[in-house]
Amino acid sequence: MAKIVVITSGKGGVGKTTTSAAISMGLALKGHKTVVIDFDIGLRNLDIIMNCERRVVFDFVNVIQGEASLNQALIKDKRCDQLYILPASQTRDKDALTREGVKAVLDELAQQFEFIICDSPAGIEQGALMALYYADEAIVVTNPEVSSVRDSDRILGILQSKSLRAETGAEPVKEHLLITRFDPERVARGEMLTVQDIEEILAVSLLGVIPESQAVLNASNKGMPVVLDEKSDAGQAYLDTVDRFLGEDKPHRFLEAQRKGFFKRVFGG
Amino acid sequence: MAFFDRFRDKEEARSADVARDRLKVIVSHERRQRNAPSYLPSLQRDILAVIEKYVRVEPDQVQVDLNDDGNHSILEVNVNLPK
């Protein structure tokens, strides 16, 4: 049975696409056949983060509207043969996604893939609602910052009321919290919400904590999911997150501030 | 200037604590609104209209909350009347 996973957040700019790219590549590297779908119709960006922007011929909307077959639109990743990308349309609007159309595509994908990762657009409009509607599990990406936490709570409310699972009274969508752009030094100075604060406020089980890291921008510059930068803190944190998602018990890392020498502590730097 | 920050920390509330307290209030308020029946806003308007027949109150001085208590719900109406 294919598992449908939505990467969502409500707020924009918190790292949904970075997370979608990292987690889908991580799952594929572990040998699980994975497809990642860009639901951000009109503002596609997953293609450029995955470095396949020049290979897009047909897109998600073409498939829904019967203008292309699924296999024509799917792009096979050049670094990992277990990973495929279904890009969003750049020209249509978000209303091109219909429930029936999305269902037909997901049903067809479910026959060939183990994991279907849905990269949600920001907001709570049609594109975002469609991205989460058929989800079995949800990874809610949250920055340690008041507006992001509030929006995550809003999205959790929508998952609990407007998903197919909620509407049909099936087992609820399994929710995971992923905290990104976490800065342990600012937490130590009392300038940033702690992991425990966010967990307690949202009441969702913690899947991972990704540290604020220069590796993320470097990776996106090159069109490389950050998990491929295995030496980086963010890459390792995402790989741990994938392991936990697959049921492994891994301790959380990068939660403590690096210990600084005496001079740095006293005089800053 | 980490050296001087050490003195300042003690006096000012740490901003992370302020963030946490603000979030707890807003999130619990919004959750209650989300779970409330759809007629609650119009009920609130009607209650306000009745009160306004007798005394002038600002809309934000009326708070209508529905609290789920397991078997039943309790409708709580708080009105701050002007002196």
Side-chain angles (χ1 to χ4, degrees):
Chain A
M1 242 329 248
K3 201 173 260 180
I4 303 175
V5 185
V6 62
I7 313 292
T8 187
S9 70
K11 192 175 179 302
V14 298
K16 283 181 296 297
T17 301
T18 297
T19 297
S20 298
I23 288 191
S24 52
M25 178 61 85
L27 288 167
L29 289 173
K30 288 249 155 188
H32 300 283
K33 199 173 177 199
T34 300
V35 58
V36 55
I37 310 177
D38 191 348
F39 273 78
D40 203 345
I41 308 302
L43 279 176
R44 80 165 165 238
N45 273 319
L46 181 67
D47 56 337
I48 201 161
I49 296 300
M50 298 293 291
N51 199 24
C52 63
E53 69 274 15
R54 283 177 300 172
R55 297 167 64 205
V56 177
V57 182
F58 295 110
D59 59 56
F60 192 15
V61 175
N62 291 136
V63 179
I64 286 179
Q65 301 192 337
E67 297 154 357
S69 73
L70 192 51
N71 286 331
Q72 284 177 302
L74 284 175
I75 302 172
K76 187 177 186 174
D77 191 88
K78 287 197 166 162
R79 298 150 294 203
C80 181
D81 62 3
Q82 296 292 85
L83 180 60
Y84 289 76
I85 298 114
L86 183 56
S89 168
Q90 187 69 301
T91 52
R92 318 287 181 103
D93 63 85
K94 56 194 182 304
D95 298 325
L97 296 182
T98 59
R99 266 191 197 173
E100 301 70 33
V102 172
K103 183 180 189 322
V105 173
L106 292 176
D107 284 347
E108 202 179 336
L109 288 169
Q111 291 170 14
Q112 0 170 358
F113 289 96
E114 256 184 276
F115 289 103
I116 302 173
I117 309 294
C118 302
D119 182 17
S120 173
I124 49 171
E125 288 184 78
Q126 178 78 352
L129 296 179
M130 284 317 314
L132 66 80
Y133 187 72
Y134 293 102
D136 300 309
E137 304 200 18
I139 296 177
V140 178
V141 182
T142 306
N143 289 170
E145 179 264 320
V146 289
S147 54
S148 176
V149 175
R150 180 205 209 171
D151 287 0
S152 290
D153 189 67
R154 187 87 196 277
I155 273 291
L156 288 164
I158 292 173
L159 282 162
Q160 290 156 12
S161 62
K162 292 189 175 156
S163 60
L164 177 66
R165 283 174 175 272
E167 283 184 1
T168 56
E171 200 183 315
V173 177
K174 191 172 177 193
E175 301 158 348
H176 306 274
L177 173 63
L178 181 70
I179 299 173
T180 56
R181 308 200 68 165
F182 185 74
D183 185 340
E185 286 180 16
R186 299 202 75 178
V187 172
R189 289 201 298 266
E191 296 174 356
M192 184 177 271
L193 291 164
T194 65
V195 170
Q196 291 73 26
D197 287 341
I198 301 170
E199 263 187 289
E200 194 189 315
I201 290 164
L202 293 178
V204 177
S205 77
L206 182 68
L207 180 67
V209 179
I210 312 300
E212 172 81 61
S213 167
Q214 305 196 343
V216 172
L217 178 58
N218 278 324
S220 81
N221 286 343
K222 296 184 226 164
M224 183 183 85
V226 72
V227 289
L228 294 175
D229 184 357
E230 289 160 27
K231 292 203 182 79
S232 68
D233 48 358
Q236 290 176 27
Y238 270 117
L239 287 170
D240 286 358
T241 299
V242 169
D243 287 339
R244 272 184 227 110
F245 185 73
L246 290 169
E248 267 182 65
D249 191 18
K250 283 244 165 156
H252 292 278
R253 295 191 281 166
F254 315 108
L255 301 185
E256 302 295 326
Q258 297 289 318
R259 293 191 65 177
K260 284 184 175 176
F262 173 76
F263 284 101
K264 270 200 167 172
R265 265 190 290 138
V266 174
F267 297 107
Chain B
M1 296 298 270
F3 183 76
F4 295 104
D5 285 351
R6 304 191 151 246
F7 298 102
R8 202 193 58 189
D9 276 359
K10 301 253 156 50
E11 294 156 23
E12 278 177 43
R14 305 185 338 153
S15 71
D17 296 340
V18 180
R20 185 192 56 229
D21 295 343
R22 291 176 65 212
L23 270 169
K24 279 187 177 164
V25 172
I26 188 73
V27 164
S28 75
H29 177 73
E30 287 177 349
R31 269 186 208 156
R32 240 179 296 146
Q33 271 185 345
R34 230 166 32 220
N35 298 327
S38 53
Y39 60 75
L40 207 62
S42 48
L43 177 65
Q44 176 160 358
R45 265 197 309 278
D46 287 355
I47 291 172
L48 184 67
V50 171
I51 294 167
E52 289 214 310
K53 277 165 69 177
Y54 301 92
V55 56
R56 173 97 196 113
V57 288
E58 293 298 320
D60 63 347
Q61 295 301 302
V62 181
Q63 232 189 4
V64 178
D65 278 326
L66 198 65
N67 293 313
D68 200 350
D69 199 17
N71 292 332
H72 50 275
S73 299
I74 300 167
L75 180 71
E76 221 175 341
V77 183
N78 273 303
V79 186
N80 289 337
L81 294 176
K83 288 236 166 178

